[in-house]
Every structure is written in structure tokens, then in C-alpha cells.
Amino acid sequence: MRTNYRRSIEWARVDIAFITVVALVGRVGYWMMSGTRTGGDTPTYTSTCEVWLSEPWLLPRIINAGFTIPFCLFTELLGLSWDLWIAVQISLSTIACILIYSIASAHLDRIAGLVSGLSMAVLWDSFQWDIYILTDSLFVFAVTLALWAVSRHHRYQTRQTYWTAWGTLIFVFLTRAHGFPIVAGWLLLDFLPRGHRYRLNLIPNPLYGIAVAMLGTGILLTQYFEFLTGTIFQWYADGLLVWDSSMFQYPYALSEHTSPIAFVVFNIHHIILITMLRFVLIFVPVLPRWSTIHNVANVGTLIPVLIGSFWGFIAMLRSRRDLFRLWAIPLVMLLITISLTHVDWDWRYRAPAAPMFSLLTGYAGWRLWHSGHVEFLKQLWPTTER
């Protein structure tokens, strides 16, 4: 027994080393080719540094504080360069691959961990934004960390895992606006009756859940009130599918109405179709305006991972709903959010789905491995089942 445990530890170290090397080769190589970059939103985030350091009680762009606070402390307070910050983002992105391996191997086995970890390591969406001074890279790491912490709390149910999970959920919520629905997807499960098998036991009392929901909604409204009450309806009125892309517009004869409720009622069939089209566009792997390396990377990595994710999603929904609520519900919430708003011009909003895509692909690989169709490979890869 002790020999088997020691052997599993040794294999885990080999796996982690392999995943780390693969992840670093892709990320560092990409950085060396492209250098440190900024995006259109970079000035919005960097401009908050002076406020955070001089008047932090004003809470500038609180929803992005998960990125702006560490970034401002690193670059402004410590005086370190943007290049060093990119090195930090690449390091965290590599750690995220190891976390994905840890999640899958802990709940399934070594093969699931390898497939999941390597999928995360090579997936373009998982590291495309690591070289940018934007919130996306840190947000992908935050989502991955939350997946690890919530999955760990699901297994052990201790006070330590409870507070660790809550810390990561707050990190997700305060890094990007898309964090709100991801966190909400998990927390809503705890509104099920006490003792229900789908509860995650993150909210001990429904009253606490209502208080948390009100607080989270209030914080979100302070930064996105105009968007939630007006802009989102205007985008539907404009038939916006992909931001700033005339190629992806939905033209239709709009029924003009002044109130949002009337607008929805009289245009509901168009709204449903626009939402469905956005959902389909989320999964587009190749576009003519993307660079050759971008398209090649997506053909080689994204398409297989999307196929594996779809298979894993269906299989997990049918037979492993304990894992489905941990790994698939955050993906569902993210996809719904993008479908109800818009697909970003360069598909940035798909990046946080990478950890979930990787875990679902790992589950699909695990099912295939144990299906009996790849018996000849089992002699090469010892596994440790959980």
C-alpha cells in the first residue's frame, strides 16, 4: 500500500514537471515573439493606480480590484517594470495548469489529470492574454483557483477549505464583471433544501445567501448600472453580436418602444435569436482577420478541446452530476452571460472558459481510457484511481 502511494507521488511529480515545461514553452515562446503588449482597456485599469495609492477608500473600479490592486502595488509601489508583471502572469498561468491537473487527478485519476493539465497548457485561450496588461490573465487564474478551492471544499468540508473557497470566490468576483455569474452559479446551489446532495455548503443559512446576493448586486450596480439598465438593451436593438465587427451583425426591423419591458415583449423573437447566435459564435475557432499562428493554434488545440468538452459535458451530466455542478455550472453561467451581452472583438471573453473546457476534456479522456477502447495504451501509463 505504501509502495503504491509512493509510486503515485513519483508519477505525479513527473506529470507536473512535464505539464510545467509544456506550459512554459508555449507561454514564454509567445512572449518572446510578441513582447509585452497593452490593450484598449489598459489605460482604464492603470489610471486607477494613483487613486488606489492615494485615496483607496474611493474604491476605484472595485469590480476590477482583483487585478488593479496587485498590479498597482507591484508596478507603482514597488516600482517594478511591466515586463516583470508579465513574468508574474506567465508564472500564474503555468500554476493554473498544475491546479487543473490537481483537480482532475484528485477527483478521478492520473489520466484525467494529464489530459486536463495538458489541455490547459496548450490551449491558446488559456495563455493568449498573459502578455497583455489587462485583467484577463489574472481572471483566468482566479477562476482556476476557485475551481480548485471549491472542488477541494466539496471533498473535505473543513473550516480551512470553506474559507479558502470563499477567498477565491471573492477574488473571482472582484477581478472581472464576468466573475459575478460564475460565483452566483455555485452559490445558488446552496439555496436548495438543507441536506440536498447538490449543495456545496458554502452558504450555511439562506439569510446569509440573501445578504451576500444583495451585497454583490449592489457592488456590481455601482460600476455597471448604466450598462445593465440601458446599454445591454441598446446592443439588442442594434443587433450586436460581436463587438465592433460589421461582419457579425443581426439586421432586423426593430419595434420601437420606450420602456425596456415593452422592448423585450415586442422584440422577444429577435432577442432570442440574437442570444442564440451569440452563443454559437462563442465557439468560432478560426477567422480570416486573426493571425496565422492564432488560427493554427486554435485548429490544433481549441477544436479538439471543444469536441472533448462537448462529449465530457454530456457524459458528466448523465453520470457524474457531482462533478457537473463543480466544473460545468461555472461554464454554463459564463456562456449565458456572454450570450446575453456580446462576444468581444477578439474573443477575450472566452478565455475564462479554458479551465472548465480543460476539465471537461479531461473527464472525456478519463471515460475513453476506462471504456476499453484504448487497452494497448494502458501498459504505458500507470494510473492511480480515486
Side-chain angles (χ1 to χ4, degrees):
M1 185 72 177
R2 182 174 296 179
T3 302
N4 290 337
Y5 176 75
R6 186 178 302 161
R7 186 174 300 169
S8 68
I9 295 297
E10 291 173 354
W11 278 115
R13 290 173 178 168
V14 172
D15 296 342
I16 290 172
F18 181 53
I19 291 170
T20 299
V21 170
V22 172
L24 284 174
V25 166
R27 285 153 177 77
V28 175
Y30 175 48
W31 187 24
M32 292 177 67
M33 284 192 306
S34 303
T36 298
R37 292 188 173 186
T38 60
D41 294 335
T42 299
T44 302
Y45 304 129
T46 57
S47 63
T48 64
C49 287
E50 183 179 349
V51 183
W52 275 121
L53 296 176
S54 61
E55 300 174 301
W57 55 87
L58 296 179
L59 301 177
R61 295 193 64 86
I62 185 62
I63 295 299
N64 304 121
F67 167 79
T68 56
I69 289 178
F71 172 77
C72 294
L73 292 175
F74 190 89
T75 58
E76 298 296 326
L77 189 63
L78 299 179
L80 301 176
S81 68
W82 283 10
D83 286 339
L84 285 176
W85 175 256
I86 296 302
V88 170
Q89 291 190 159
I90 289 175
S91 299
L92 293 178
S93 180
T94 302
I95 292 172
C97 300
I98 298 170
L99 288 174
I100 291 296
Y101 169 84
S102 174
I103 297 167
S105 59
H107 284 268
L108 297 169
D109 65 12
R110 182 187 174 213
I111 288 299
L114 272 172
V115 175
S116 298
L118 288 174
S119 296
M120 186 72 172
V122 302
L123 194 58
W124 178 263
D125 282 0
S126 74
F127 67 89
Q128 180 183 0
W129 305 104
D130 291 347
I131 65 171
Y132 284 79
I133 306 297
L134 293 169
T135 61
D136 302 85
S137 177
L138 210 58
F139 186 56
V140 173
F141 174 72
V143 172
T144 307
L145 193 62
L147 282 164
W148 172 81
V150 172
S151 298
R152 192 164 176 266
H153 177 63
H154 169 68
R155 292 189 73 206
Y156 297 111
Q157 298 286 318
T158 67
R159 183 177 296 274
Q160 181 184 10
T161 59
Y162 173 84
W163 288 112
T164 301
W166 264 106
T168 61
L169 292 178
I170 294 171
F171 183 25
V172 170
F173 173 68
L174 292 180
T175 303
R176 279 195 71 90
H178 289 78
F180 180 83
I182 291 174
V183 172
W186 276 319
L187 296 185
L188 284 172
L189 293 172
D190 280 346
F191 283 91
L192 293 169
R194 190 177 296 277
H196 196 285
R197 60 177 178 155
Y198 290 159
R199 283 175 55 92
L200 296 178
N201 297 318
L202 291 167
I203 299 177
N205 188 305
L207 293 178
Y208 295 164
I210 294 172
V212 168
M214 292 176 62
L215 177 62
T217 303
I219 293 173
L220 189 70
L221 288 175
T222 60
Q223 190 168 321
Y224 291 98
F225 180 80
E226 183 179 351
F227 169 79
L228 293 171
T229 58
T231 304
I232 191 171
F233 294 103
Q234 186 60 51
W235 286 348
Y236 271 109
D238 296 338
L240 177 68
L241 301 177
V242 177
W243 177 258
D244 200 23
S245 178
S246 58
M247 180 180 177
F248 298 105
Q249 294 284 331
Y250 174 82
Y252 69 105
L254 176 66
S255 298
E256 296 287 351
H257 294 279
T258 55
S259 74
I261 295 177
F263 170 79
V264 171
V265 170
F266 287 96
N267 295 281
I268 186 64
H269 51 304
H270 294 297
I271 291 174
I272 292 174
L273 185 54
I274 289 171
T275 303
M276 293 174 62
L277 288 172
R278 289 172 180 165
F279 179 84
V280 172
L281 285 171
I282 294 171
F283 304 97
V284 169
V286 173
L287 281 180
R289 59 179 168 81
W290 288 345
S291 67
T292 301
I293 188 174
H294 188 165
N295 285 326
V296 170
N298 278 356
V299 169
T301 63
L302 179 62
I303 291 178
V305 168
L306 288 179
I307 294 172
S309 297
F310 179 77
W311 180 20
F313 186 94
I314 299 301
M316 193 179 288
L317 181 61
R318 288 176 174 174
S319 58
R320 288 300 301 268
R321 293 187 181 178
D322 58 323
L323 297 182
F324 184 89
R325 70 181 188 271
L326 292 172
W327 303 347
I329 283 182
L331 175 63
V332 170
M333 297 301 290
L334 177 65
L335 297 180
I336 289 174
T337 301
I338 299 173
S339 301
L340 292 174
T341 52
H342 71 281
V343 179
D344 194 61
W345 187 84
D346 37 21
W347 271 248
R348 281 171 58 194
Y349 298 159
R350 188 174 60 193
M356 287 82 83
F357 283 154
S358 299
L359 287 169
L360 290 171
T361 302
Y363 179 76
W366 176 80
R367 286 287 297 261
L368 178 63
W369 181 265
H370 293 284
S371 65
H373 298 301
V374 289
E375 290 293 331
F376 66 97
L377 292 176
K378 293 188 178 182
Q379 304 300 320
L380 303 176
W381 295 99
T383 64
T384 304
E385 296 192 28
R386 299 296 196 271

